[in-house]
Amino acid sequence: MNLTALKQDFEASFGRLPDAIYFAPGRVNLIGEHIDYNGGRVMPAAIHQGTYFGIGKNESSRICIDSMTFGEKRTFEFEDLVSARRQGHWSDYTLGMAQRLLAGVRNPVGFDLLVASDLPQNSGLSSSASFCVGFGFALIDQLDLAFDRIQLARVARAVENDFVGVSCGIMDQFAVAMGKADHCIVLDCESLEWELIQMNLAGYEIVIANSMVERKLSDSNYNLRRSECKQALEILKMDYPVEQLCELSVGQVEASLPLHRFDVLRKRARHVSSENNRVSESVSALKAGALEEFGALMNASHASLRDDFEVSCPELDFLVETAVSIPGVLGSRMTGAGFGGCTVSLVKSSEVPRFAEHLSRAYTAHAAIKAEIYAVTPADGVKRVA
Ligand code: GLA
């Protein structure tokens, strides 16, 4: 993103230059899918694509936000924030975040914001978490509010859950807030204990392929999966004294007789516990530099998301199947919520151009869609950039 151009766009929109510019990354999840809301561990990394916020205080009692992504400007009076409700519009994230961060702040100063993004929307790379965390961070920093990064991640998640109505876990917001260059995060989503693992990929790269299939109906599908997990847990509780699906092993899930009557729920629970195991094995593999083993775990994760959790789609399956057939690829899987969006593959650095060309050609021939394929490196979490 060209920051000079962003400043000029701010000036064109608001008649003066911004006081500051903030950047919030997107994230790619390396492994640990659909288990953050089941008490599991996940392994995301922030990436260099994300959302930029030019911000300038104004003399009003209003937030005025101009979105380059949606080509639209919206204004909110502070006094209306308390009673604000979801409108089914992109500005819901602004409203929800401002409502929570400014609650209890007396006479906050007004401000203008210009938002621009180089992150594809609705593609499983966390554009909404990037927006919420970035907007919140800019507010916190400019108005000197008392929230640390983890509190900010929690607020952003609460906005998704309670204001926007998506029952997501905390993985995305945490990764956007806490990412670190050249590292991935291992986050225990129950205790919020976390550690950073240095991404020593020794001649390999993380490559994203965007299927360009938008996560149609994703929010309702996502919420459905979440409620299926809850139902499976209720049934498993008849056999085991647990609070979260991730406390159970695959063997325990399979041994539960009451669950046998519900094939779909049994598959959902089996994905959750097998995926949680794969994360533990991935942590060991990455720490030991055992990349082939990590790649195999990525492949197994995709199979489980496709067959047991059923959140893949034909386009993602095609991208993954084709990717693993290309020389120099150690593993490939869908990343994020699924139902469209992106895959992530581990590809030998010297093979990346050939990989991108081969995958792109095959995908266009198969689906008549041009995929976007690019290598990413783990980036820092949200920060001020100017
Ligand atoms: C979305 C949600 C996350 C997580 C993933 C699936 O990105 O926002 O909380 O559940 O899907 O792993």
Side-chain angles (χ1 to χ4, degrees):
M1 179 74 59
N2 179 337
L3 295 189
T4 309
L6 194 82
K7 286 179 189 168
Q8 285 165 354
D9 288 335
F10 188 97
E11 193 172 19
S13 187
F14 298 109
R16 66 188 195 293
L17 289 171
D19 300 336
I21 298 178
Y22 296 85
F23 170 70
R27 69 96 191 91
V28 57
N29 189 22
L30 299 178
I31 198 159
E33 221 64 85
H34 284 277
I35 58 172
D36 60 345
Y37 53 86
N38 288 303
R41 286 202 300 166
V42 295
M43 204 191 265
I47 58 176
H48 287 279
Q49 290 74 18
T51 319
Y52 291 79
F53 300 81
I55 185 166
K57 291 182 183 150
N58 63 32
E59 297 304 316
S60 73
S61 57
R62 288 191 293 272
I63 305 173
C64 184
I65 182 159
D66 190 354
S67 167
M68 307 282 286
T69 312
F70 296 101
E72 206 185 354
K73 209 172 189 173
R74 285 268 169 134
T75 302
F76 310 101
E77 294 290 338
F78 284 131
E79 62 182 19
D80 296 334
L81 276 181
V82 182
S83 58
R85 294 284 170 273
R86 174 175 190 270
Q87 297 171 357
H89 188 260
W90 63 265
S91 58
D92 284 347
Y93 296 105
T94 319
L95 277 176
M97 289 301 291
Q99 187 180 65
R100 278 158 180 77
L101 293 175
L102 298 177
V105 179
R106 296 217 348 251
N107 302 322
V109 46
F111 46 89
D112 300 321
L113 273 150
L114 181 94
V115 190
S117 169
D118 56 9
L119 194 62
Q121 307 292 302
N122 297 324
S123 328
L125 300 177
S126 290
S127 52
S128 62
S130 172
F131 183 97
C132 286
V133 171
F135 173 72
F137 190 83
L139 240 66
I140 290 168
D141 198 47
Q142 287 290 307
L143 304 182
D144 233 347
L145 307 175
F147 289 84
D148 65 26
R149 283 171 181 261
I150 294 183
Q151 287 167 327
L152 169 60
R154 285 181 191 272
V155 171
R157 181 202 179 177
V159 166
E160 289 268 13
N161 289 177
D162 306 332
F163 198 91
V164 177
V166 179
S167 310
C168 63
I170 194 153
M171 168 172 77
D172 303 348
Q173 296 78 8
F174 197 96
V176 173
M178 302 292 288
K180 185 163 156 55
D182 303 325
H183 291 74
C184 71
I185 300 173
V186 181
L187 172 66
D188 180 323
C189 300
E190 183 61 10
S191 64
L192 290 198
E193 278 169 27
W194 57 287
E195 67 170 312
L196 294 168
I197 300 187
Q198 177 121 31
M199 292 298 284
N200 240 335
L201 293 182
Y204 281 82
E205 289 188 45
I206 303 164
V207 181
I208 285 177
N210 186 348
S211 69
M212 310 303 278
V213 176
E214 286 212 4
R215 300 171 5 191
K216 285 176 244 111
L217 297 178
S218 60
D219 295 353
S220 52
N221 277 324
Y222 185 93
N223 287 348
L224 174 64
R225 288 296 175 279
R226 184 148 184 172
S227 81
E228 287 167 346
C229 289
K230 206 166 151 212
Q231 290 170 49
L233 178 63
E234 288 314 311
I235 296 169
L236 285 158
K237 276 179 168 179
M238 295 176 193
D239 284 334
Y240 309 104
V242 291
E243 295 300 323
Q244 299 277 6
L245 278 185
C246 282
E247 292 170 46
L248 294 164
S249 67
V250 176
Q252 285 173 311
V253 169
E254 296 289 33
S256 166
L257 288 180
L259 199 61
H260 273 251
R261 296 187 9 243
F262 303 93
D263 194 43
V264 167
L265 300 186
R266 187 163 64 102
K267 288 202 294 184
R268 304 299 186 249
R270 192 165 59 194
H271 164 74
V272 169
S273 60
S274 68
E275 184 77 350
N276 200 38
N277 277 342
R278 282 185 286 273
V279 175
S280 299
E281 290 172 23
S282 297
V283 172
S284 312
L286 275 186
K287 284 183 176 169
L291 293 185
E292 286 195 4
E293 197 182 323
F294 178 55
L297 291 162
M298 292 172 80
N299 295 339
S301 168
H302 185 77
S304 177
L305 287 157
R306 181 191 62 210
D307 301 336
D308 276 354
F309 216 64
E310 297 179 281
V311 289
S312 187
C313 65
E315 292 85 355
L316 288 174
D317 292 342
F318 181 85
L319 284 172
V320 165
E321 276 157 33
T322 309
V324 294
S325 74
I326 299 174
V329 177
L330 295 185
S332 186
R333 57 183 290 277
M334 53 155 273
T335 184
F339 312 108
C342 294
T343 63
V344 55
S345 306
L346 194 56
V347 184
K348 194 170 190 168
S349 308
S350 57
E351 297 295 328
V352 170
R354 250 186 302 245
F355 169 83
E357 202 201 307
H358 182 146
L359 190 59
S360 171
R361 207 174 339 105
Y363 188 60
T364 307
H366 175 81
I369 305 175
K370 180 133 188 49
E372 280 179 359
I373 302 169
Y374 46 94
V376 291
T377 47
D380 282 332
V382 63
K383 61 183 178 187
R384 183 171 174 171
V385 289

